[in-house]
Structure formats: C-alpha cells, structure tokens
Amino acid sequence: TMPHAISVTGNLKSRVTIAPADREHRKMLRQRLQCDNGCMIMTAGCIHPGEGAVIRESLDILSRTGFPLRCIIVPRHLTAVPSILAELGPDTLHLKDISSDRPWEICLIDKFGILEAMYSIGDLAFVGGTFVDVGGHNVWEAARYGIPVFFGPDYHTQKEGCTSLLDGGVGFTVSDADQLAESIISVCKDNAASFHARQEKFRHTTAHSPETLIQHIP
C-alpha cells in the first residue's frame, strides 16, 4: 500500500458552488412549462410512493391560506409514477418531458435526467425519500441554487448534508403536511428577508476553492 498517496477529502457532494441558476436558461425552461417568472414553484425531487399524499395535502393547505404555489414532482423511480399520480390526484398534469401546452398547478414529469434542471427553476425545493423510510437523497442538488430546501424527518442516509443546511438556517425539516405548509409560508413569505441573509452567509462559509481538490491529484 501507499498511504502517502491517499487523501481524505470528505463528502464530495457538498463541494458545490452555491449560486442562482442562469437567468436566461431558467426563463426558457419556465416558458416551456407555461410558467411565467411571477409564479412561485416548488420542485419536489426524488419522490417515492407515500410522499405524494403528504405533498398534495400540504399544497391544499397552502391554497386554502391564499399562498399560491405550483409544484413540479420528479419521481425517484419511473416505475412508481402510477402510484404517485394516484396520491397527487386526478388534476395533476402528467408530462413526459419538460414541456406543457397548458397551465397547471401540479405536474409530474415522467422522465429521467431532469432533476437538476427542475431544481434550477424552483423557488424552493422538497427533497424526497424523507417522508418514507428511505433516508433521503442528495440535498446539495437543490441547495446549490441558493433556494430553501425542505425535507421530512427521515434523512439518516444524508445526515451530514441535511445537518449542514439545518445549521446554516437554509434547510428545514418537517414532520408532516401541516408543518411543511407552515414552514414554507414562514421561510418564503413572512421571513423571506431573514432567509436571504442566512443564505448569503451560508454561501460564503461553504465556498470551496478548486485548489483544495487539485492539490491532491497526482
């Protein structure tokens, strides 16, 4: 063995540059989905069966309180699409690509390889696998765009990343649909200025220079 050739760099998932998505690309994707820049979008990524019902209940609560929020559902597994659609309800628009010919309130995009793009057009994100006993998925894929990231109580496989977001005040864990709705209103409406201040601080404290990794490459 060659111990001198081994470097422990830590979890590379967190080595992201936190910055807003490219404005023109974001605008183009939103236009393809019939969303003007004035609407607020939550991207719910890596959703599993059992989580669609929680998300739908939360959206209904928000609607009743007069907080308009559109939601894009990106399933973790395409085989689970029928189950998740059933949980979301018959008014959910089922898309096969990042394109719609009509307005919608909730849509599910039945396609691989689109998660990053959908996080980039969101104003907030929910990361799935956390309202079921999966243990969560990569929260940095959403956090990299500087948006609030919400997740359920079970994030045991992503504890490091979730804890980092929680400690920075830019990630939020909730236990049910009521708490999700309440937290969204608090973070994105009532205390939006406070979130942006925390996000700016978090962006600076988590910044990584490429040189920190390059120095380890032979």
Side-chain angles (χ1 to χ4, degrees), residues 83-169:
S83 296
I84 297 172
L85 282 172
E87 295 175 9
L88 292 169
D91 57 340
T92 303
L93 181 61
H94 183 188
L95 300 174
K96 293 288 187 177
D97 203 351
I98 307 173
S99 180
S100 174
D101 59 1
R102 61 186 176 90
W104 47 268
E105 296 301 320
I106 309 173
C107 76
L108 180 149
I109 305 182
D110 188 353
K111 185 177 183 179
F112 276 129
I114 62 164
L115 184 58
E116 180 180 350
M118 294 302 93
Y119 278 143
S120 77
I121 68 172
D123 300 290
L124 61 148
F126 175 82
V127 178
T130 55
F131 274 130
V132 290
D133 60 357
V134 170
H137 296 288
N138 186 1
V139 291
W140 293 104
E141 291 176 320
R144 64 179 296 184
Y145 294 109
I147 58 178
V149 180
F150 301 85
F151 41 89
D154 189 347
Y155 51 88
H156 67 268
T157 70
Q158 305 294 321
K159 190 172 182 179
E160 182 180 345
C162 290
T163 299
S164 180
L165 299 190
L166 291 168
D167 290 346

Side-chain angles (χ1 to χ4, degrees), residues 30-52:
R30 280 180 164 240
Q31 287 177 338
R32 284 176 56 184
L33 284 169
Q34 299 291 320
C35 295
D36 61 50
N37 284 327
C39 70
M40 182 169 282
I41 295 175
M42 176 173 75
T43 299
C46 295
I47 301 305
H48 292 257
E51 297 186 302

Side-chain angles (χ1 to χ4, degrees), residues 15 44 56 77 137 143 172 182 187 192 197 200 206 212-213:
R15 291 186 176 271
R56 180 58 198 250
H77 304 292
H137 296 288
F172 309 90
E182 290 170 5
V187 174
E200 186 65 14
T206 57
T212 61
L213 288 180

